[in-house]
Amino acid sequence: MDEFSLIRRYFSDIGGDSGVVLGVGDDAALLRPTAGCELAVTTDTLIAGRHFPIRTAAADIGWKALAVNLSDLAAMGALPRWCTLALSLPDADADWLREFAAGFAALAHTHGVALVGGDTTRGPLSLSVTAMGEVPTGRAIRRDTAHAGDCICVTGALGDAALALQRLNAASTTMQSEDDLALRARLDRPQPRVAEGLALRGIASAAIDLSDGLIGDLGHILERSQVGGEIRVDALPSSAAFARLALPAERADLQLAGGDDYELCLCVPEGRLDAARAAIASPLSVIGRIVEGRGLRVLGADGATMSPSRSAYRHFE
Ligand code: ADP
Ligand code: MG
């Protein structure tokens, strides 16, 4: 199977054609953006062994490659429309490609995102997706607009994916219990909070998606907004599986610094908190406050300032 039949067979018909004047097959795609909207564009690369365990199922890799990008659009309050996919593959294994494309397509269909182009090369397994979304002019949720007094909130629960990864690597479990499967799904099939991002436009003052760990990611909001923050460890939301399986001594680190949560961290003025809660279906937990000054203070259950033992994942450290 050569590169072109591979593209035709697996990647030429994913996610419909809304706003697509010309999709896969020409030198470039032609897209028709909606009048009155700005284009939100984001790229994320996944490398085997670094961003996902080598033995991850192909369908899960396909899903996650798109999910991490839709999560970035969600954090901007953008509506996902189109994407491109740059694939580097060690070989053209038909079973692997079929599964990968099916996982990618499942999430693309859910969100009405059309795959409009890409690039296919031979090399170590890596996937780069560029996702494009739309947001009415001037209404995107940014990182640099948090204010002292805002509540710091997160959607869903934190630490599941980091705990799943820890338990996978420990290999002392088969990962087959109901709790382990729930954690595993959070690692392999993150659900980008697109509906939440859209609904919180005009309500949240700032947002970021949580990919590299809460402390580091929230730190980006604080830096960009030139404010400080205070969060309480005992306010961090946990799933039922996490509450049962995480060792008490490790919970805080997993939730503060574990990556791959793909929840949204949002700043919300106190007076809009009820509106924020009413606007979204997923739980919204207040975990702290934006304050004057600089830096992030993490308060332990006893109210004392603690220093987490792990910080955010950084590639070049
Ligand atoms: P070019 O050489 O002009 O860059 P390519 O031969 O790389 O074009 O690709 C041919 C067509 O297939 C282009 O429309 C490109 O966007 C699309 N394409 C290539 N790889 C992928 C992929 N993995 N998924 C979707 N479309 C792809
Ligand atoms: Mg060309």
Side-chain angles (χ1 to χ4, degrees), residues 123-209:
L125 180 59
S126 95
L127 319 303
S128 276
V129 171
T130 296
M132 289 157 271
E134 294 186 319
V135 60
T137 300
R139 300 202 54 214
I141 313 173
R142 304 166 49 132
R143 295 182 181 181
D144 58 0
T145 41
H147 289 105
D150 289 349
C151 300
I152 302 173
C153 307
V154 293
T155 58
L158 302 180
D160 289 346
L163 180 58
L165 195 59
Q166 187 191 73
R167 291 175 66 82
L168 273 173
N169 289 337
S172 53
T173 153
T174 54
M175 296 299 284
Q176 292 307 311
S177 74
E178 210 172 296
D179 281 342
D180 271 321
L181 290 174
L183 295 176
R184 189 79 202 261
R186 294 271 287 159
L187 176 67
D188 291 336
R189 296 250 168 174
Q191 301 285 344
R193 299 294 193 181
V194 170
E196 288 79 357
L198 292 172
L200 293 173
R201 232 163 39 195
I203 295 177
S205 59
I208 189 168
D209 75 311

Side-chain angles (χ1 to χ4, degrees), residues 10-11 48 52 54 56-59 61-62 87-103 125-127:
Y10 298 107
F11 299 114
F52 55 88
I54 305 265
T56 304
I61 297 171
L87 259 183
S88 161
L89 295 171
D91 48 47
D93 181 282
D95 288 337
W96 192 94
L97 278 162
R98 187 173 9 83
E99 295 292 306
F100 173 84
L125 180 59
S126 95
L127 319 303

Side-chain angles (χ1 to χ4, degrees), residues 46-85:
L46 299 189
I47 294 174
R50 173 161 299 253
H51 299 98
F52 55 88
I54 305 265
R55 57 209 151 139
T56 304
D60 292 337
I61 297 171
W63 174 286
K64 191 163 180 175
L66 182 58
V68 302
N69 281 278
L70 298 190
S71 179
D72 283 319
L73 293 182
M76 301 299 293
L79 177 69
R81 299 287 318 267
W82 310 290
C83 65
T84 61
L85 167 65

Side-chain angles (χ1 to χ4, degrees), residues 45 299-300:
T45 299
L299 304 179

Side-chain angles (χ1 to χ4, degrees), residues 3-4 6-7 11-12 23-29 84-87 115-120:
E3 169 196 343
F4 300 104
L6 182 160
I7 294 164
F11 299 114
S12 63
V24 170
D26 214 308
D27 289 309
T84 61
L85 167 65
L87 259 183
L115 177 63
V116 298
D119 195 26
T120 305

